[in-house]
Amino acid sequence: MSEKKSTRVAYGEALVKLGQTNEKVVVLDADLAAATMTNGFAKAYPDRFIDCGIAEADMVDIAAGMSTMGLIPFCSTFAVFAGRCYDQIRNGVCYPHFNVKFGFSHAGVTLGEDGGSHQAVEDLALMRVLPGMTVLVPSDANETYKAVEAAAALNGPVYIRTARLPSIILDEQPFVIGKGNVLKDGTDAVIFTCGMMVEQCLEVVKMLAEKGIDCALVNMHSLKPFDEELVRFYAAKTGKVFSVEEHSIIGGLGDAVASAIAGHGCTCFKKIGIMDRFGQSGKPADLLAEYGLDAAHIAAQVLETLGK
């Protein structure tokens, strides 16, 4: 592990690098290039960048049309604005299975002071339910670089969720769409997590170890397709399963885990996430504590569930 970098910054860097080797890549933004970090691509390849203004629906329809010409469009805006263009994503891209990518940033409550109106806690649920949509949630810069490359190589719609807050850069891990990465093995319990929560959960497993609990930690950077085989393996191995996500407990990672283990004999399962609430304005660290998503609160919920 090394320095910190936000996944939104890594997303912008990855697009610039991808543009060097793939002339089919084009980038569209909705008047947020300085925030989504696509301004680097705009500077490097101005002829392949389109600022669509505050018109997300138009942006998606333009990208859909460009994809029919053999181009690989990446649409970028804030994750909360997925709702503004959901009809276009559904009917204009997913229904005909066009080759459009969505790099939506500033997701979750770690966005901070912008408040609940801008903190997307439902975007993964919206995207997971769309037929044919691949959903990726990288946890650090390295995973983001690989997610962008993998998205460009895949024929079909892809949603990449990135965040504003910098996160630690993990040691190199494989990145295979549809496969999770085991960050720590364990026998007493398992935590499945993704995105910004990976950093918190690395601390959680250390806290649990101090209590004598050997907890496995699995990074599920691919929410769809989902590594159900790996989930069921650790559910059978430990019998105590937890999901941790910076997203509503409805429709996100927790529900994907629940679907994977349903009917397979797991004795204990708890979803840890945002409990049917909107976000609010505050410092990212304070908001994580408020929503029970900092390491201390996550560990306390695990211990309580385990009866420790």
Side-chain angles (χ1 to χ4, degrees):
M1 301 178 191
S2 59
E3 77 283 0
K4 288 192 173 188
K5 180 184 287 188
S6 71
T7 50
R8 65 160 176 154
V9 169
Y11 172 75
E13 294 172 347
L15 288 176
V16 173
K17 182 179 179 181
L18 185 62
Q20 294 173 351
T21 58
N22 194 334
E23 294 184 352
K24 293 182 178 181
V25 172
V26 295
V27 174
L28 301 87
D29 208 292
D31 198 38
L32 288 169
T36 63
M37 307 308 294
T38 59
N39 52 357
F41 190 96
K43 182 178 180 180
Y45 316 106
D47 293 340
R48 288 190 275 156
F49 178 83
I50 301 175
D51 188 339
C52 299
I54 307 174
E56 291 82 1
D58 287 345
M59 175 179 69
V60 175
D61 279 344
I62 292 168
M66 296 176 84
S67 74
T68 67
M69 301 168 62
L71 298 173
I72 307 174
F74 279 77
C75 292
S76 304
T77 187
F78 288 176
V80 75
F81 297 145
R84 286 186 178 176
C85 51
Y86 195 66
D87 180 52
Q88 287 71 30
I89 294 173
R90 181 192 187 277
N91 288 330
V93 173
C94 289
Y95 185 62
H97 199 71
F98 284 160
N99 193 29
V100 179
K101 321 303 173 182
F102 304 95
F104 284 14
S105 73
H106 292 59
V109 295
T110 50
L111 172 54
E113 291 85 347
D114 285 1
S117 64
H118 281 57
Q119 294 167 353
V121 299
E122 70 290 323
D123 57 310
L124 297 177
L126 291 173
M127 296 302 164
R128 281 185 64 237
V129 76
L130 291 172
M133 177 70 87
T134 294
V135 181
L136 307 176
V137 189
S139 66
D140 72 348
N142 288 333
E143 282 197 334
T144 306
Y145 300 145
K146 295 175 182 179
V148 170
E149 293 175 0
L154 184 70
N155 183 26
V158 180
Y159 181 77
I160 304 172
R161 186 193 218 218
T162 63
R164 178 186 185 186
L165 191 70
S167 58
I168 58 171
I169 299 177
L170 305 174
D171 296 334
E172 283 288 338
Q173 299 285 326
F175 190 95
V176 179
I177 292 176
K179 295 294 182 181
N181 286 333
V182 179
L183 301 182
K184 179 190 175 299
D185 197 10
T187 58
D188 297 332
V190 60
I191 295 173
F192 296 101
T193 190
C194 62
M196 294 297 295
M197 291 294 96
V198 168
E199 181 173 348
Q200 297 296 324
C201 289
L202 286 168
E203 294 301 315
V204 170
V205 295
K206 293 178 183 178
M207 294 177 179
L208 295 176
E210 293 173 357
K211 300 289 186 180
I213 298 170
D214 182 24
C215 185
L217 178 62
V218 184
N219 176 14
M220 305 298 288
H221 55 74
S222 177
L223 257 66
K224 186 184 178 187
F226 194 65
D227 197 345
E228 294 190 351
E229 182 180 356
L230 184 60
V231 170
R232 286 196 281 266
F233 172 81
Y234 270 98
K237 180 177 182 178
T238 68
K240 310 288 191 301
V241 177
F242 299 86
S243 62
V244 179
E245 59 192 313
E246 190 193 4
H247 183 274
S248 171
I249 60 166
I250 302 168
L253 171 65
D255 278 0
V257 172
S259 294
I261 64 177
H264 288 270
C266 176
T267 59
C268 173
F269 172 55
K270 181 176 177 62
K271 293 189 286 186
I272 298 173
I274 297 172
M275 305 297 289
D276 200 25
R277 299 171 60 188
F278 284 108
Q280 58 187 298
S281 181
K283 299 292 184 184
D286 293 337
L287 291 171
L288 287 177
E290 166 66 21
Y291 289 86
L293 293 175
D294 62 343
H297 283 85
I298 295 168
Q301 292 180 74
V302 172
L303 290 169
E304 180 183 9
T305 303
L306 297 179
K308 302 292 184 179

